[in-house]
């Protein structure tokens, strides 16, 4: 992939100029840990006599040591890597790959550090400091910039390592725990600390080629996450955080503190469904079909989707309904559509489901699993679709004593990822949360679902005839009878009828609010009147907050995009998908329809109906549980008195 308009090139000659320094770092550094404690591990075994050693680079850089001068406790990462195979005299291809990956990653980090110094003026301050000419008024700035350079160097080192090591990963994994030796005094000390801690991890976990690769990858991921959190407390990082660089030889993009990943799709084994095989669920099916095409408008060069810029892109949605109403079928349909579109366009498609298997008894592991799921889907180099089935079982409800620590960790990760301070919606992916019991989902997490898909299954007589015929298959001679198969599933007609049904609320509690406001102000045909209606809803349900209003207005913007991208745009990528970003944006704008008061009122009612439905179910479940508890108490008292009598 070529450079985009907003990318700067990190030139190959600049990276290669740091190869010798990077090799010296791997060969030996002298570091005394400041934050972490050393782990008990066997020392690196020395080479047997007669075994030749490789050429050694003798560094003259202060703080670095060579074989001849290193203290016994010094960090000799190359020797540590060689020792990860029961001291085989020959270096394996995997070990050589790890050495090359680490040298390359260090060189990229050093080159990026230099680029940051030039961008921020730190290079000039370093020169003044060496010459003794740094004024007292610049020392605070100097220290802040050194800390920022250290954070940049560490993150780029970890990011490049994770990216370059990824093709060599196997099914083997290791749990290394939290990274501790994260120093930000200056870039050199920061890298020394990172290499020291990586050496500690390799000494403990790297016993063969598979665990060697897994340990390096796990450490890089942990270091990236730790330094990204640390960076939130540091200043002067805007030039890096808002920048965009490309290492062309590796197809490696550096976008601030966003992890880079290979643009590889996942191998899907699910049984895809066609739209006509989803019976009923008209609005949910229509929105899923539109969303599948919206995702395809994503521009890989600009790393942005015109729908995300214009409004109307669905980043998160909640699909709820009774068991057996078609949630799994809806997932299979949407994943199948995106998969087919991506195959035509040659895009990488990645689908993943976060299931209850990701809840772990180890502290912090459930959160790590959820974060890995999020990062896998939001990768800007792929089209992503992430699902969280039975989210009421997976994510814990805060304040609920029955929620495990692992469930609460997952809740925290999902809330931060779906609408946190660092959430960036590029428009290349979407997340669907599905539940039979959405009332059991944490209120704040549920409100982070920007759209609501009511999955209510077949409703009409025609729906039931269609689904019976579909599931019976063709291996029978029973006549169809007086019925036009699937005519009721004509999407535009069915959707129009479904939307019109929301001109008035469907939940009794909300209908009372609507009727009262309508009696006071008449038709809700102005923003002021609709605002009054919203306030009345909030008075009836205090959970109806500003986030609910945002979700409603987002849904209205989706309705303004109430069109399906033409099928030929998906079938022939040259017509739309491969056009420049601005042309795609213009083509979409030409299809946009005006926003009407009917649209706004329907979306208010749709969203509020769902919240009242959840609240009513939640209250009813709580009442039933209390009644059951009271009944048990009375029965216990009766048996107790009988036993005493």
């Amino acid at each position: 992939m070529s450079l985009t308009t907003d990318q700067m090139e990190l030139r190959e000659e600049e990276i290669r100029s740091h190869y010798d320094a990077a090799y010296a770092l791997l060969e030996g550094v002298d570091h005394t840990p400041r934050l972490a404690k050393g782990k008990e591990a066997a020392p690196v075994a020395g080479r047997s006599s007669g075994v030749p050693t490789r050429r050694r680079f003798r560094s003259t850089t202060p703080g670095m040591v060579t074989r001849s001068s290193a203290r016994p406790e010094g960090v000799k990462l190359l020797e540590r890597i060689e020792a990860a195979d029961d001291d085989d005299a020959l270096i394996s291809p995997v070990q050589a790959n790890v050495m090359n990956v680490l040298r390359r990653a260090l060189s990229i980090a050093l080159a990026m550090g230099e680029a940051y110094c030039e961008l921020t003026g730190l290079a000039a301050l370093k020169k003044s400091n060496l010459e003794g000419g740094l004024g007292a008024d610049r020392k605070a700035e100097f220290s802040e910039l050194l800390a920022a350079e250290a954070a940049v160097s560490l993150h780029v080192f970890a990011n490049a390592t994770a990216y370059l090591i990824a093709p060599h990963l196997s099914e083997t994994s290791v749990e290394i725990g939290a990274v501790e030796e994260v120093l930000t005094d200056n870039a050199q000390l920061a890298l020394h600390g990172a290499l020291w801690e990586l050496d500690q991890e390799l000494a403990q976990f790297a016993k063969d080629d598979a665990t060697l690769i897994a340990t390096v990858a796990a450490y890089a991921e942990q270091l990236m996450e730790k330094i990204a959190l640390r960076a939130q407390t540091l200043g002067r990082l805007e030039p890096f955080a808002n920048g965009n660089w490309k290492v062309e030889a590796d197809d490696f993009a550096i976008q601030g503190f966003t992890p880079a990943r290979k643009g590889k799709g996942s191998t899907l084994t699910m049984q895809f469904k066609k739209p006509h095989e989803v019976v009923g669920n008209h609005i949910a099916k229509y929105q899923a079909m539109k969303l599948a095409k919206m995702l395809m408008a994503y521009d890989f060069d600009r790393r942005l989707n015109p729908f995300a810029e214009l409004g109307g892109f669905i980043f998160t949605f909640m699909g709820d309904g009774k068991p057996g109403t078609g949630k799994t079928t809806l997932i299979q349909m949407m994943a199948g559509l995106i998969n087919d579109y991506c195959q035509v366009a040659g895009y990488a498609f990645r689908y993943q489901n976060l299931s209850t298997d990701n809840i772990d008894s180890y502290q912090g592991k459930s959160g790590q699993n959820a974060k890995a799921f999020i990062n896998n889907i939001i990768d800007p180099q792929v089209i992503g679709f992430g699902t969280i089935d039975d989210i009421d079982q997976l994510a814990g409800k805060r304040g609920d004593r029955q929620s495990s620590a692992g469930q609460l960790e997952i809740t925290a990760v999902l809330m931060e990822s779906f609408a946190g301070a660092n959430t960036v919606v590029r428009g290349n992916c979407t997340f669907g949360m599905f539940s039979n019991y959405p009332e059991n989902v944490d209120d704040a997490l549920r409100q982070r679902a920007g759209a609501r898909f009511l999955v209510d299954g077949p409703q009409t007589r025609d729906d039931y005839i269609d689904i019976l015929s579909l599931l019976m298959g063709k291996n029978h001679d029973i006549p169809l009878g007086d019925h036009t198969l699937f005519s009721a599933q004509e999407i535009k007609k069915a959707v129009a009828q479904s939307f019109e049904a929301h001109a008035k609320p469907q939940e009794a509690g909300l209908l009372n609010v609507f009727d009262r406001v309508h009696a006071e102000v008449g038709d809700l045909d102005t923003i002021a009147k609709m605002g009054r209606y919203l306030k009345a809803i909030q008075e009836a349900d205090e959970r109806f907050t500003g986030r609910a209003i945002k979700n409603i207005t987002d849904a209205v913007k989706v309705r303004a995009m109430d069109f399906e991208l033409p099928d030929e745009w998906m079938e022939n990528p040259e017509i739309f998908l491969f056009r420049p970003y601005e042309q795609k944006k213009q083509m979409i704008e030409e299809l946009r329809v005006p926003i009407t008061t009917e649209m706004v009122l329907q979306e208010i009612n749709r969203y509020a109906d769902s919240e009242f439905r959840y609240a009513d179910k939640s209250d009813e479940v709580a009442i039933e549980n209390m009644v059951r508890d009271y009944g048990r108490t009375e029965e216990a008292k009766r048996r107790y008195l009988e036993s005493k009598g």
Side-chain angles (χ1 to χ4, degrees), residues 36-104:
K37 293 182 179 180
K39 300 178 181 179
E40 293 184 6
V44 179
R47 284 293 178 201
S48 303
S49 60
V51 177
T53 59
R54 297 180 309 284
R55 173 183 65 82
R56 296 289 183 179
F57 172 79
R58 294 186 177 273
S59 172
T60 58
T61 306
M64 299 182 186
V65 295
T66 62
R67 173 186 286 270
S68 60
S69 61
R71 295 205 312 259
E73 64 270 23
V75 181
K76 302 175 183 178
L77 210 54
L78 293 180
E79 291 187 9
R80 182 70 71 189
I81 293 169
E82 291 178 39
D85 57 2
D86 294 327
D87 204 25
D88 191 325
L90 294 177
I91 299 174
S92 72
V94 170
Q95 290 172 336
N97 279 330
V98 172
M99 293 175 183
N100 280 311
V101 163
L102 291 175
R103 184 183 69 165
R104 181 74 176 173

Side-chain angles (χ1 to χ4, degrees), residues 91-306:
I91 299 174
S92 72
V94 170
Q95 290 172 336
N97 279 330
V98 172
M99 293 175 183
N100 280 311
V101 163
L102 291 175
R103 184 183 69 165
R104 181 74 176 173
L106 282 169
S107 300
I108 293 172
L110 292 170
M112 188 67 245
E114 277 192 356
Y116 174 81
C117 289
E118 294 297 330
L119 274 175
T120 58
L122 178 56
L125 291 178
K126 284 183 176 181
K127 184 178 179 181
S128 297
N129 186 57
L130 286 173
E131 296 172 350
L134 185 66
D137 59 328
R138 305 295 301 275
K139 287 185 177 179
E141 177 189 1
F142 184 51
S143 296
E144 291 175 3
L145 286 169
L146 285 176
E149 183 198 5
V152 168
S153 299
L154 279 178
H155 194 275
V156 172
F157 166 60
N159 198 2
T161 299
Y163 181 85
L164 296 172
I165 206 78
H168 307 290
L169 285 170
S170 65
E171 296 298 320
T172 302
S173 63
V174 296
E175 300 295 333
I176 66 169
V179 171
E180 297 176 343
E181 191 70 0
V182 178
L183 307 175
T184 54
D185 300 62
N186 58 69
Q188 178 173 281
L189 182 62
L191 291 174
H192 285 192
L195 295 178
W196 174 86
E197 192 158 15
L198 176 57
D199 179 71
Q200 295 281 304
E201 304 296 354
L202 292 177
Q204 186 171 8
F205 298 106
K207 309 304 179 186
D208 51 29
D209 284 351
T211 52
L212 171 65
I213 291 281
T215 304
V216 172
Y219 176 74
E221 293 287 347
Q222 290 284 349
L223 179 58
M224 258 195 298
E225 186 173 338
K226 187 67 172 280
I227 199 61
L229 289 173
R230 178 73 61 84
Q232 295 176 13
T233 65
L234 299 176
R236 303 187 183 275
L237 282 168
E238 291 79 6
F240 174 73
N242 300 327
N244 193 351
W245 289 266
K246 182 72 173 289
V247 180
E248 195 68 36
D250 301 312
D251 193 25
F252 172 55
I254 302 172
Q255 295 183 304
F257 293 98
T258 301
R261 284 175 171 78
K262 291 285 186 182
K264 294 181 179 178
S266 53
T267 302
L268 298 180
T269 56
M270 71 166 61
Q271 184 178 3
F272 296 139
K273 300 293 185 182
K274 298 296 183 183
H276 74 271
E277 295 178 284
V278 180
V279 177
N281 298 323
H282 302 301
I283 292 181
K285 178 166 69 172
Y286 179 58
Q287 289 185 314
M289 291 169 65
K290 284 206 308 178
L291 183 52
K293 290 183 177 179
M294 278 185 181
L295 285 169
M296 297 307 297
Y298 176 71
D299 190 279
F300 283 90
D301 287 337
R302 286 287 295 273
R303 294 178 182 254
L304 185 63
N305 193 318

Side-chain angles (χ1 to χ4, degrees), residues 293-586:
K293 290 183 177 179
M294 278 185 181
L295 285 169
M296 297 307 297
Y298 176 71
D299 190 279
F300 283 90
D301 287 337
R302 286 287 295 273
R303 294 178 182 254
L304 185 63
N305 193 318
F307 283 103
E309 183 179 351
L310 295 171
F313 181 79
I314 300 172
F315 181 55
T316 54
F317 64 91
M318 169 77 78
D320 72 276
K322 296 178 182 178
T325 50
K327 290 182 292 298
T328 301
T329 306
L330 193 71
I331 293 171
Q332 292 171 325
M333 181 204 78
M334 187 170 169
L337 288 174
I338 302 171
N339 182 71
D340 291 347
Y341 296 154
C342 284
Q343 285 189 348
V344 172
Y347 295 164
F349 171 49
R350 191 174 294 164
Y351 168 79
Q352 188 174 339
N353 180 59
L354 187 68
S355 67
T356 52
D357 294 339
N358 294 104
I359 301 175
D360 201 285
S361 58
Y362 287 99
Q363 184 176 1
K365 181 59 179 173
S366 300
Q368 290 178 13
N369 291 341
K371 193 64 178 178
F373 161 74
I374 296 291
N375 289 338
N376 200 35
I377 298 300
I378 65 174
D379 181 356
Q381 298 188 85
V382 303
I383 301 297
F385 179 31
T387 56
I388 309 162
D389 210 359
D390 294 325
I391 190 171
D392 53 285
Q393 298 182 35
L394 188 68
K397 195 171 187 178
R398 293 170 299 172
D400 187 345
R401 288 176 294 179
Q402 295 182 342
S403 295
S404 69
Q407 289 174 311
L408 294 176
E409 287 173 16
I410 291 176
T411 298
V413 170
L414 296 181
M415 287 177 61
E416 192 277 333
S417 300
F418 290 163
N422 297 319
T423 302
V424 177
V425 179
R426 300 181 184 277
N428 68 305
C429 64
T430 188
F431 292 90
M433 298 177 277
F434 296 86
S435 175
N436 296 326
Y437 306 100
E439 67 277 4
N440 293 335
V441 180
D442 187 272
D443 291 341
L445 176 57
R446 190 176 66 237
Q447 288 179 3
R448 277 163 167 76
R452 304 295 172 88
F453 292 6
L454 175 58
V455 186
D456 52 2
Q459 296 291 308
T460 66
R461 178 182 64 86
D462 289 339
D463 286 345
Y464 276 90
I465 296 173
D466 287 342
I467 195 170
L468 176 63
S469 175
L470 179 69
L471 296 178
M472 284 284 290
K474 298 181 179 180
N475 191 25
H476 63 84
D477 297 324
I478 302 174
L480 176 62
D482 185 17
H483 178 73
T484 304
L485 199 61
F486 301 128
S487 63
Q489 311 310 318
E490 292 177 3
I491 195 69
K492 290 189 179 299
K493 177 182 176 182
V495 166
Q497 293 174 346
S498 297
F499 277 130
E500 287 171 4
H502 288 282
K504 293 188 71 173
Q506 299 181 355
E507 294 294 317
L510 182 61
L511 184 59
N512 290 334
V513 176
F514 177 86
D515 288 341
R516 175 164 51 83
V517 174
H518 189 271
E520 293 175 1
V521 302
D523 291 339
L524 306 182
D525 53 5
T526 68
I527 290 179
K529 292 179 179 179
M530 287 187 283
R532 187 167 178 178
Y533 178 37
L534 291 170
K535 174 59 180 174
I537 296 173
Q538 185 271 330
E539 290 172 349
D541 184 354
E542 62 182 12
R543 290 171 292 191
F544 199 79
T545 63
R547 187 179 295 279
I549 311 305
K550 181 183 183 302
N551 290 337
I552 289 168
T553 55
D554 285 346
V556 171
K557 292 173 184 175
V558 171
R559 292 285 299 279
M561 300 290 184
D562 203 2
F563 54 82
E564 252 195 287
L565 297 179
D567 288 335
E568 55 267 26
W569 289 13
M570 301 295 116
E571 295 165 0
N572 184 355
E574 300 293 340
I575 297 176
F576 174 73
L577 300 182
F578 293 169
R579 291 286 185 92
Y581 178 84
E582 294 300 333
Q583 288 188 21
K584 285 195 283 192
K585 181 180 174 183
Q586 182 180 355

